[in-house]
Amino acid sequence: MSDNVNSIRLAPGIRALAAKLGDAAANIASERKESLERLAAITARHLRESGEAALTFICTHNSRRSHLSQITAQMAAVYQELDGIHCFSGGTEATACNPRTVAAFERAGFAVTASGNSENPVYSISIADQGEPLELWSKVYDQDGNPTTGYVAVMTCTHADENCPVVAGADDRVSLPFVDPKVADDTPEESATYDERLREIGSQMFWLMAEVKKSLEN
């Protein structure tokens, strides 16, 4: 995947990251692939039926895992030229996009700018050479700016998965929890833990989007 010509569509700073995430996708555990295959099948179905697929990644506070999933999933969709896929994120409650998450994106090569109030700033992240950047801020999953009907809810944390059995407006719901990098906050392992979670989530999003493309081509 590292030689894929589609990488030229990505912003220059993250092309090397795309190659690494694509290569790491080969190491995903087989039991995890079962959940990813289900999500890929659902996503492909939405694309076939309407030409569009909206994926909303949900964790409790919309501060860490849901944002890592949203950005890397959209990046993988750009890489695979799946133009009808639109990725969002939200929480069961709103707080703020954690600055440690933002720092992990910056270390990975993403260009990030901040605006808005200091309690819940809006971060703009460029994914592709052309087009508008994605905006990240903490929000409830069905808040304005996110789809409210016809989307796929992807549960990225166990707490939200268990405490939100019904996601309003979602056509489909998939459980895909990740370990919260918060476990390393304020420790010497903080940066390494956030970087590893970005790579873990990102490699799974790259595998997911490759499966969506294969499904559409078959």
Side-chain angles (χ1 to χ4, degrees):
M1 187 177 289
S2 58
D3 294 327
N4 194 321
V5 70
N6 296 347
S7 66
I8 64 174
R9 302 183 67 210
L10 296 173
I14 57 174
R15 290 175 188 169
L17 173 65
K20 292 178 182 177
L21 294 178
D23 292 342
N27 300 319
I28 298 170
S30 58
E31 60 269 19
R32 185 64 164 188
K33 287 181 179 178
E34 293 179 5
S35 297
L36 292 168
E37 286 171 348
R38 177 169 179 259
L39 179 55
I42 291 169
T43 303
R45 173 169 55 80
H46 279 249
L47 288 170
R48 289 192 190 95
E49 291 176 353
S50 67
E52 305 281 335
L55 309 182
T56 300
F57 296 91
I58 300 171
C59 65
T60 302
H61 298 122
N62 191 206
S63 61
R64 295 175 176 83
R65 288 163 287 180
S66 52
H67 283 132
L68 294 171
S69 299
Q70 175 192 1
I71 292 298
T72 56
Q74 194 68 67
M75 174 185 172
V78 169
Y79 188 92
Q80 294 292 348
E81 296 188 316
L82 295 167
D83 295 328
I85 294 180
H86 309 286
C87 299
F88 304 87
S89 67
T92 55
E93 57 186 272
T95 54
C97 181
N98 194 280
R100 299 173 181 87
T101 305
V102 176
F105 281 127
E106 291 175 327
R107 286 192 298 271
F110 292 87
V112 184
T113 58
S115 61
N117 68 67
S118 58
E119 292 185 358
N120 189 9
V122 176
Y123 297 98
S124 296
I125 298 187
S126 296
I127 300 293
D129 283 335
Q130 298 179 349
E132 295 297 320
L134 295 181
E135 291 189 336
L136 300 186
W137 75 100
S138 183
K139 70 200 86 61
V140 178
Y141 67 83
D142 58 355
Q143 184 175 320
D144 288 348
N146 277 4
T148 56
T149 60
Y151 63 95
V152 183
V154 186
M155 314 306 289
T156 64
C157 84
T158 302
H159 182 270
D161 195 18
E162 293 175 347
N163 290 277
C164 192
V166 177
V167 181
D171 278 0
D172 299 278
R173 183 182 186 281
V174 177
S175 177
L176 198 71
F178 297 93
V179 175
D180 194 346
K182 181 181 179 179
V183 296
D185 284 3
D186 302 319
T187 73
E189 292 77 34
E190 179 181 284
S191 293
T193 299
Y194 276 78
D195 293 349
E196 172 57 29
R197 195 64 66 246
L198 187 154
R199 288 190 296 269
E200 176 193 11
I201 293 174
S203 66
Q204 295 190 23
M205 296 304 107
F206 265 71
W207 195 89
L208 166 70
M209 295 305 171
E211 286 297 300
V212 172
K213 187 161 189 175
K214 281 194 287 186
S215 178
L216 294 173
E217 291 173 345
N218 291 336

